[in-house]
Amino acid sequence: MKTTAKAIATKFVTHEIPELETLKSAKVYQLREKLDKGERLSRAEKNWIAEAVNRNAFFRKAVPLMGYRFGFEDILKTYVVKQYGSWQEYNAPDKTSLRSFIFGRIEQIAEISK
């Protein structure tokens, strides 16, 4: 069971934190687990991931929770968005989820390919 838990999230702090299994009821844990099982995400789940990834100050393609890093690099794409004359970079599963959390008029969205 420990090897499965390590694939879901990694510890990124040095101090003592609760066991990863205690976070099973958290939305981010359940979404990462769902993706690891190969299941598809709903529109609401994609929107939640897009907002959670772009609103946290720790990681660009992951969501922090209680000292653990839940990575979503496998489903996120990088976009640049032109809004009010300036460009900003975001990560999201798709353009629709990106539009769901950006406030205001969007002039242009472009995907950055790797």
Side-chain angles (χ1 to χ4, degrees):
M1 189 71 173
K2 284 280 187 191
T3 54
T4 305
K6 286 193 183 232
I8 289 177
T10 56
K11 182 178 172 181
F12 73 93
V13 294
T14 55
H15 59 275
E16 289 294 318
I17 56 176
E19 289 293 317
L20 184 57
E21 285 75 31
T22 61
L23 301 177
K24 282 191 176 204
S25 63
K27 186 169 191 163
V28 67
Y29 188 105
Q30 292 169 355
L31 291 177
R32 183 67 259 175
E33 199 171 43
K34 186 174 184 178
L35 286 168
D36 289 347
K37 291 178 185 173
E39 298 176 27
R40 295 185 62 123
L41 296 177
S42 70
R43 170 58 43 213
E45 291 168 337
K46 288 180 183 178
N47 293 353
W48 187 90
I49 289 172
E51 184 165 358
V53 165
N54 288 288
R55 298 276 190 241
N56 82 75
F58 288 98
F59 307 108
R60 296 177 57 78
K61 293 191 175 192
V63 178
L65 178 66
M66 307 246 338
Y68 289 99
R69 176 190 183 279
F70 292 84
F72 291 97
E73 297 85 357
D74 55 330
I75 63 160
L76 293 176
K77 299 173 186 166
T78 303
Y79 296 96
V80 287
V81 177
K82 185 176 183 185
Q83 193 174 27
Y84 307 114
S86 65
W87 292 90
Q88 182 69 35
E89 185 176 309
Y90 295 98
N91 293 295
D94 53 27
K95 286 184 183 180
T96 306
S97 61
L98 182 63
R99 288 180 186 275
S100 74
F101 79 90
I102 294 178
F103 182 78
R105 186 178 179 284
I106 297 171
E107 296 172 43
Q108 193 173 358
I109 296 178
E111 183 179 344
I112 299 175
S113 56
K114 294 179 183 180

